[in-house]
Amino acid sequence: MAKTGTTTTQDLRSAIERSGYYPALVSEAVESAVGPEPITSYLVHQETTFDANEVRRHVTVLVLTSSRFVVSHTDEQNGDAGNPVPYATTSTETVRVDRINSVVVSRMVANPETYTPGTLPREVVLTIGWGAVQRLDLEPAGCSDPNCEADHGYTGSATADDLSLRVSEAGDGPETVAQALVFARALSEATVSTRG
């Protein structure tokens, strides 16, 4: 769920409960990280993946306050040799809004030639960067001479990729796609207002 405007911790807690994914654990972790600061927007995204013969669930909660961006991830794990009972791991990260240097919203639309403004995209990928993680993609460099055997070194690109969240109409429903766009807009506006 995403919501903008001042909201309450109870609204966020209700959205986490609707996700159905360890709500007591997730709520406690998120509320502890947010503290008493009023919430301006949030997004709760529950994701199920299939890994060989196992079903794994993961929930990401994004919370925006007037000064901070809070990211929470919770994953469940099956028991293993070191820990024979199933367990969940939850983590939170708090980032000052003025540290966010990139909010990228990628939209995938069907039949772009007949696109009507305001139509929801089929898929949205929200990528947020604040400098904690950099991805470096390298490949061997070359030249246009097919017979050249010289070492041209490497070429590549560095990308800020602290968080990437994908939602789709088919997998998550149109409401979640709309909510991701609402949250992305609130976050983008917050990053501008902290610099102005």
Side-chain angles (χ1 to χ4, degrees):
M1 298 285 147
K3 192 165 184 165
T4 57
T6 302
T7 187
T8 65
T9 302
Q10 184 57 46
D11 293 335
L12 175 58
R13 189 178 299 131
S14 295
I16 291 169
E17 287 172 2
R18 281 191 302 276
S19 80
Y21 185 79
Y22 305 122
L25 173 65
V26 174
S27 292
E28 181 181 52
V30 171
E31 289 170 17
S32 175
V34 171
E37 194 171 4
I39 297 167
T40 57
S41 186
Y42 61 84
L43 175 66
V44 177
H45 180 249
Q46 196 263 323
E47 179 180 18
T48 302
T49 57
F50 300 94
D51 182 20
N53 294 330
E54 298 177 351
V55 176
R56 294 185 187 255
R57 296 183 302 164
H58 173 89
V59 69
T60 301
V61 180
L62 309 179
V63 179
L64 179 63
T65 71
S66 61
S67 66
R68 296 179 301 136
F69 169 62
V70 177
V71 181
S72 174
H73 296 287
T74 303
D75 293 290
E76 65 182 356
Q77 305 292 327
N78 291 326
D80 55 31
N83 195 356
V85 298
Y87 60 96
T89 303
T90 188
S91 63
T92 57
E93 181 173 4
T94 302
V95 180
R96 286 190 336 261
V97 172
D98 63 359
R99 295 253 345 258
I100 295 175
N101 53 35
S102 176
V103 178
V104 179
V105 181
S106 300
R107 303 165 191 237
M108 192 272 286
V109 299
N111 304 312
E113 67 280 357
T114 61
Y115 176 77
T116 303
T119 303
L120 280 179
R122 293 177 67 183
E123 179 177 303
V124 170
V125 178
L126 174 60
T127 305
I128 304 165
W130 56 90
V133 177
Q134 292 281 331
R135 185 179 72 230
L136 186 60
D137 294 321
L138 294 176
E139 61 184 40
C143 67
S144 59
D145 180 359
N147 298 318
C148 180
E149 295 182 14
D151 182 356
H152 294 284
Y154 289 88
T155 184
S157 62
T159 308
D161 195 16
D162 295 304
L163 174 76
S164 190
L165 184 76
R166 176 187 169 269
V167 296
S168 69
E169 183 180 36
D172 304 297
E175 182 179 275
T176 304
V177 172
Q179 292 165 347
L181 291 172
V182 168
F183 183 84
R185 182 175 183 160
L187 183 60
S188 292
E189 290 172 358
T191 61
V192 170
S193 67
T194 61
R195 288 169 176 78

PDB file of all heavy atoms in Angstrom, residues 136-139 154-158:
ATOM      1  N   LEU A 136      29.207  -2.032 -10.634  1.00  0.00           N
ATOM      2  CA  LEU A 136      30.187  -1.774 -11.680  1.00  0.00           C
ATOM      3  C   LEU A 136      30.083  -2.887 -12.712  1.00  0.00           C
ATOM      4  O   LEU A 136      30.300  -4.058 -12.389  1.00  0.00           O
ATOM      5  CB  LEU A 136      31.597  -1.729 -11.077  1.00  0.00           C
ATOM      6  CG  LEU A 136      32.749  -1.345 -11.966  1.00  0.00           C
ATOM      7  CD1 LEU A 136      32.545   0.056 -12.527  1.00  0.00           C
ATOM      8  CD2 LEU A 136      34.055  -1.412 -11.194  1.00  0.00           C
ATOM      9  N   ASP A 137      29.698  -2.552 -13.933  1.00  0.00           N
ATOM     10  CA  ASP A 137      29.592  -3.521 -15.022  1.00  0.00           C
ATOM     11  C   ASP A 137      30.758  -3.295 -15.966  1.00  0.00           C
ATOM     12  O   ASP A 137      30.878  -2.228 -16.575  1.00  0.00           O
ATOM     13  CB  ASP A 137      28.272  -3.346 -15.778  1.00  0.00           C
ATOM     14  CG  ASP A 137      27.067  -3.681 -14.920  1.00  0.00           C
ATOM     15  OD1 ASP A 137      27.154  -4.644 -14.144  1.00  0.00           O
ATOM     16  OD2 ASP A 137      26.052  -2.970 -15.025  1.00  0.00           O
ATOM     17  N   LEU A 138      31.635  -4.298 -16.095  1.00  0.00           N
ATOM     18  CA  LEU A 138      32.818  -4.200 -16.949  1.00  0.00           C
ATOM     19  C   LEU A 138      32.766  -5.252 -18.044  1.00  0.00           C
ATOM     20  O   LEU A 138      32.232  -6.343 -17.845  1.00  0.00           O
ATOM     21  CB  LEU A 138      34.096  -4.412 -16.131  1.00  0.00           C
ATOM     22  CG  LEU A 138      34.444  -3.364 -15.092  1.00  0.00           C
ATOM     23  CD1 LEU A 138      35.678  -3.789 -14.313  1.00  0.00           C
ATOM     24  CD2 LEU A 138      34.682  -2.026 -15.763  1.00  0.00           C
ATOM     25  N   GLU A 139      33.356  -4.908 -19.168  1.00  0.00           N
ATOM     26  CA  GLU A 139      33.519  -5.867 -20.252  1.00  0.00           C
ATOM     27  C   GLU A 139      34.787  -5.504 -20.997  1.00  0.00           C
ATOM     28  O   GLU A 139      35.226  -4.342 -20.973  1.00  0.00           O
ATOM     29  CB  GLU A 139      32.310  -5.864 -21.175  1.00  0.00           C
ATOM     30  CG  GLU A 139      32.049  -4.549 -21.845  1.00  0.00           C
ATOM     31  CD  GLU A 139      30.782  -4.560 -22.675  1.00  0.00           C
ATOM     32  OE1 GLU A 139      29.775  -5.134 -22.244  1.00  0.00           O
ATOM     33  OE2 GLU A 139      30.819  -3.976 -23.779  1.00  0.00           O
ATOM     34  N   TYR A 154      39.504  -2.416 -20.458  1.00  0.00           N
ATOM     35  CA  TYR A 154      38.097  -2.686 -20.168  1.00  0.00           C
ATOM     36  C   TYR A 154      37.279  -1.412 -20.323  1.00  0.00           C
ATOM     37  O   TYR A 154      37.792  -0.306 -20.215  1.00  0.00           O
ATOM     38  CB  TYR A 154      37.928  -3.211 -18.738  1.00  0.00           C
ATOM     39  CG  TYR A 154      38.458  -4.608 -18.578  1.00  0.00           C
ATOM     40  CD1 TYR A 154      39.787  -4.827 -18.243  1.00  0.00           C
ATOM     41  CD2 TYR A 154      37.632  -5.699 -18.781  1.00  0.00           C
ATOM     42  CE1 TYR A 154      40.289  -6.106 -18.110  1.00  0.00           C
ATOM     43  CE2 TYR A 154      38.117  -6.984 -18.651  1.00  0.00           C
ATOM     44  CZ  TYR A 154      39.446  -7.184 -18.317  1.00  0.00           C
ATOM     45  OH  TYR A 154      39.917  -8.457 -18.187  1.00  0.00           O
ATOM     46  N   THR A 155      36.018  -1.591 -20.564  1.00  0.00           N
ATOM     47  CA  THR A 155      35.071  -0.493 -20.595  1.00  0.00           C
ATOM     48  C   THR A 155      33.891  -0.897 -19.714  1.00  0.00           C
ATOM     49  O   THR A 155      33.654  -2.081 -19.491  1.00  0.00           O
ATOM     50  CB  THR A 155      34.612  -0.173 -22.039  1.00  0.00           C
ATOM     51  OG1 THR A 155      33.770   0.966 -22.006  1.00  0.00           O
ATOM     52  CG2 THR A 155      33.849  -1.334 -22.649  1.00  0.00           C
ATOM     53  N   GLY A 156      33.186   0.074 -19.214  1.00  0.00           N
ATOM     54  CA  GLY A 156      32.058  -0.276 -18.363  1.00  0.00           C
ATOM     55  C   GLY A 156      31.346   0.932 -17.840  1.00  0.00           C
ATOM     56  O   GLY A 156      31.575   2.060 -18.286  1.00  0.00           O
ATOM     57  N   SER A 157      30.488   0.677 -16.887  1.00  0.00           N
ATOM     58  CA  SER A 157      29.719   1.762 -16.284  1.00  0.00           C
ATOM     59  C   SER A 157      29.511   1.473 -14.808  1.00  0.00           C
ATOM     60  O   SER A 157      29.451   0.326 -14.384  1.00  0.00           O
ATOM     61  CB  SER A 157      28.365   1.922 -16.988  1.00  0.00           C
ATOM     62  OG  SER A 157      27.598   0.748 -16.836  1.00  0.00           O
ATOM     63  N   ALA A 158      29.394   2.555 -14.042  1.00  0.00           N
ATOM     64  CA  ALA A 158      29.095   2.461 -12.613  1.00  0.00           C
ATOM     65  C   ALA A 158      27.694   3.007 -12.406  1.00  0.00           C
ATOM     66  O   ALA A 158      27.351   4.068 -12.931  1.00  0.00           O
ATOM     67  CB  ALA A 158      30.100   3.265 -11.797  1.00  0.00           C
TER      68      ALA A 158
END
